[in-house]
Amino acid sequence: MSSFTVRLTFHGDLAFFLRRKQSIVERRLNERTSVKDIVEACGVPHTEVDLVLVDGQPVDFSQVIGSEAGVEVFSIRSRSVTLFPENQLQVRGVRKFVADVHLGKLVRDLRLLGIDVVYDRDAEDRQLVKTSNAQDRALLTRDRHLLMHAAVRHGYYLRSQNSLEQTVEVLRRFDLASVLTPFTRCLRCNALLESAEKEKIIGQLESLTRIYYDQFRRCPGCGQVYWSGSHFEKLRKRIRKIRDLLQTEA
Ligand SMILES: [Zn+2]
């Protein structure tokens, strides 16, 4: 087979992933290659791609290209994807996540907002991929190669290294702003909190807490008790900050 050239144009913020940050890439190929492999060889994980047009026609990731072609690649935020509602490659409405080992602060923020995030700081890469696939969770990571595993159906590469900005990124990417339920989930283990009677947990409380507070929640997973003490005000401030950021930046 003689070699051929594929010319790719990356739209939206996908240029972020390209080596020279230029939106057009030409690749010389010697064999028939799938769209997924061609796009990922440019550095863009398939989880970031919502629409691919080959010579103007929408295709999916398994489409094989064997001769000269022009390929347009769009992110989930590109306006053009709405022109091809049947051909969008990313699933909408993902509400469950699994996070890479380096993202402890992001995980805490998301759980604080009530979002379901599995996190194990000792998890190996293949465990993350397995959890994502088996439980239909979007994989959150700053390792783009992890997102290139075919078994990862949903995922997101965090652009920022700042946990507050990362939280806002996730809320935007997965349209979570309208489904937040702050203070309903355990920050330590992800279980949903239950209200607890004071008499039943009084042994776990310090003396001042016993005196000043009557409303408590308890985690059925790890036993942690929560109440609206001084730490609560700090957490509320954090939530306010996240909501403000979510509204101000486009
Ligand atoms: Zn817990």
Side-chain angles (χ1 to χ4, degrees):
M1 182 175 192
S2 57
S3 67
F4 56 95
T5 302
V6 174
R7 183 185 161 94
L8 299 109
T9 308
F10 290 91
H11 296 270
D13 67 344
L14 292 180
F16 169 89
F17 292 99
L18 306 176
R19 252 158 251 128
R20 288 190 217 110
K21 312 284 177 207
Q22 286 174 341
S23 55
I24 296 176
V25 178
E26 291 203 344
R27 291 196 77 81
R28 192 118 198 103
L29 299 172
N30 296 310
E31 56 183 358
R32 291 161 55 79
T33 311
S34 72
V35 161
K36 178 178 183 292
D37 288 346
I38 295 172
V39 167
E40 292 191 332
C42 299
V44 182
H46 70 280
T47 51
E48 298 288 332
V49 174
D50 198 26
L51 175 68
V52 179
L53 302 178
V54 175
D55 295 330
Q57 292 303 308
V59 298
D60 60 28
F61 291 121
S62 61
Q63 176 77 30
V64 170
I65 297 180
S67 58
E68 226 161 83
V71 180
E72 309 256 346
V73 188
F74 300 87
S75 76
I76 198 160
R77 291 275 170 216
S78 307
R79 221 167 276 152
S80 304
V81 301
T82 57
L83 300 173
F84 298 88
E86 305 289 309
N87 305 100
Q88 290 169 359
L89 299 167
Q90 298 302 323
V91 173
R92 267 65 182 166
V94 176
R95 296 278 181 269
K96 295 185 299 179
F97 301 88
V98 53
D100 195 352
V101 294
H102 308 290
L103 300 173
K105 282 187 184 164
L106 167 67
V107 170
R108 202 178 143 84
D109 272 353
L110 292 175
R111 285 178 179 168
L112 176 63
L113 296 166
I115 297 165
D116 179 352
V117 191
V118 165
Y119 178 69
D120 172 358
R121 88 184 71 156
D122 299 319
E124 290 178 15
D125 286 357
R126 62 183 168 179
Q127 184 59 43
L128 295 169
V129 171
K130 200 174 151 200
T131 303
S132 165
N133 183 279
Q135 301 180 21
D136 216 21
R137 291 175 179 273
L139 175 54
L140 306 175
T141 181
R142 278 186 53 78
D143 176 353
R144 73 173 80 184
H145 296 288
L146 204 48
L147 294 174
M148 291 181 185
H149 279 266
V152 177
R153 284 195 300 273
H154 330 294
Y156 177 73
Y157 180 91
L158 297 145
R159 273 62 163 173
S160 176
Q161 303 205 41
N162 171 285
S163 62
L164 196 69
E165 289 171 5
Q166 289 176 340
T167 302
V168 174
E169 281 183 37
V170 173
L171 298 182
R172 285 218 181 102
R173 164 65 179 78
F174 294 95
D175 286 327
L176 298 170
S178 61
V179 296
L180 303 180
T181 51
F183 300 110
T184 56
R185 199 172 282 278
C186 181
L187 303 182
R188 281 171 33 171
C189 78
N190 197 43
L192 283 171
L193 301 179
E194 294 171 348
S195 58
E197 285 172 43
K198 191 172 182 177
E199 307 86 77
K200 290 201 176 143
I201 46 123
I202 200 153
Q204 290 173 255
L205 305 176
E206 288 176 14
S207 50
L208 284 179
T209 310
R210 278 185 211 181
I211 296 168
Y212 289 114
Y213 297 94
D214 291 312
Q215 304 251 351
F216 296 90
R217 287 186 172 195
R218 188 176 171 282
C219 172
C222 71
Q224 174 80 13
V225 174
Y226 293 84
W227 66 95
S228 50
S230 55
H231 57 285
F232 180 77
E233 201 36 55
K234 242 193 218 164
L235 294 176
R236 275 188 29 184
K237 264 192 194 147
R238 180 90 180 163
I239 293 172
R240 220 172 302 139
K241 234 178 178 176
I242 293 166
R243 286 196 192 275
D244 285 350
L245 255 178
L246 195 57
Q247 281 168 359
T248 52
E249 282 173 29

